[in-house]
Amino acid sequence: MTDDEERAAFVTAMGDTLTSWHLSRATGRVYGQLLLNADPASLDALGAALGLSKGAVSVAVRELVSWGLARTIPQPGSRRLLVEASGGFEQLLAASHERTRSFVRVLQDGSRHAGAERARTRLAEVAEFFQSYVEAGDEMLRRRRR
């Protein structure tokens, strides 16, 4: 496989992966391209590289910015923007942890309503597993921030 084919496969894989996060495939592909770029890129350049319309790229960039995965760089004297991938991983992990904490609360509430001890135990074990996941991730974030 050539380098160009490998890059295209990575961009496609990123598009497929981000769909599991309920983002569009185009958003994932734009993110993949931004990660591979050494320098910030214009919406036109991203569209040309990915075969996407400027509108599709614009929507994707807005999604990435809202998730903290990209940032836009205004160009003085122009409405044109450049885009680059940004860290964003801490914000993503923190958001994922908040969703998981909500899930844990629902599980814990469910255990109070379970009639049988076996069901209460199962709910408590699942809640404990996800709580451990969040705690491990929080510790990772604390170490990274030091």
Side-chain angles (χ1 to χ4, degrees), residues 44-45 47-48 61 67 76 85 88 103 116 120 139 141-142:
D44 290 328
V61 167
W67 279 72
F103 181 56
R120 282 192 302 277
E139 178 58 28
L141 283 173
R142 280 190 292 277

Side-chain angles (χ1 to χ4, degrees), residues 17-72:
T17 300
L18 265 60
T19 60
S20 70
W21 296 4
H22 303 286
L23 294 171
S24 72
R25 182 167 275 103
T27 298
R29 292 182 66 227
V30 169
Y31 186 54
Q33 186 66 42
L34 290 172
L35 287 170
L36 292 175
N37 287 353
D39 298 310
S42 69
L43 299 183
D44 290 328
L46 289 167
L50 298 169
L52 296 171
S53 71
K54 190 172 180 178
V57 173
S58 180
V59 169
V61 167
R62 279 195 301 269
E63 279 190 300
L64 292 170
V65 168
S66 75
W67 279 72
L69 295 173
R71 70 181 191 99
T72 56

Side-chain angles (χ1 to χ4, degrees), residues 79-96:
R79 291 180 41 183
R80 186 175 162 201
L81 296 173
L82 296 180
V83 186
E84 69 180 351
S86 61
F89 308 113
E90 290 180 23
Q91 294 95 319
L92 271 178
L93 193 53
S96 171

